[in-house]
């Protein structure tokens, strides 16, 4: 879909559940105009994505949505890039 809209999609490797490596991959992805993360967004202390974004100085527009499934979701800005992250549910990825 990105290519159909004139963009150039870049796929990063799967990030482990390790805050340091996840932060490194997110930082690499934020070199693009937009970064979409699928999976990894959770709630509370298990949300490594939100912790990694905070460590990168991200500005959050929202960190949850009142939809089921798919409540764990966030939209943030870091540097000049926009980041959208959702949980592992394919439904939530399409809804937000």
């Amino acid at each position: 879909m990105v290519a159909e809209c004139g963009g150039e999609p870049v796929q990063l490797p799967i990030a482990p559940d390790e805050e340091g490596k996840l932060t490194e991959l997110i930082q690499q992805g934020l070199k693009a105009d937009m970064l979409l993360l699928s999976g990894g967004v959770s709630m509370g202390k298990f949300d490594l994505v939100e912790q990694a974004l905070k460590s990168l100085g991200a500005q959050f527009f929202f960190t949850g949505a009142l939809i089921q499934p798919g409540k764990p979701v966030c939209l943030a800005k870091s540097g000049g890039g926009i980041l959208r992250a959702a949980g592992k549910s394919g439904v939530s990825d399409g809804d937000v």
Side-chain angles (χ1 to χ4, degrees), residues 2-3 7-15 25-26 28-30 32 34-38:
V2 172
E8 182 180 335
V10 176
Q11 185 172 347
L12 297 174
I14 295 172
L25 286 169
I26 289 174
Q28 182 181 346
L30 285 171
M34 177 180 276
L35 175 61
L36 302 175
L37 299 176
S38 178

Side-chain angles (χ1 to χ4, degrees), residues 7-86:
E8 182 180 335
V10 176
Q11 185 172 347
L12 297 174
I14 295 172
D17 289 333
E18 177 187 314
E19 189 175 353
K21 183 63 176 171
L22 178 62
T23 302
E24 179 184 312
L25 286 169
I26 289 174
Q27 194 167 28
Q28 182 181 346
L30 285 171
K31 293 176 184 174
D33 294 326
M34 177 180 276
L35 175 61
L36 302 175
L37 299 176
S38 178
V41 177
S42 185
M43 308 264 312
K45 67 180 182 178
F46 298 107
D47 189 350
L48 297 179
V49 170
E50 193 170 328
Q51 292 175 30
L53 290 172
K54 285 180 182 176
S55 76
L56 293 170
Q59 170 192 356
F60 291 89
F61 297 109
F62 62 85
T63 58
L66 296 177
I67 57 174
Q68 291 295 337
K71 188 173 183 178
V73 62
C74 76
L75 183 66
K77 178 180 177 181
S78 182
I82 297 291
L83 181 131
R84 203 268 302 157

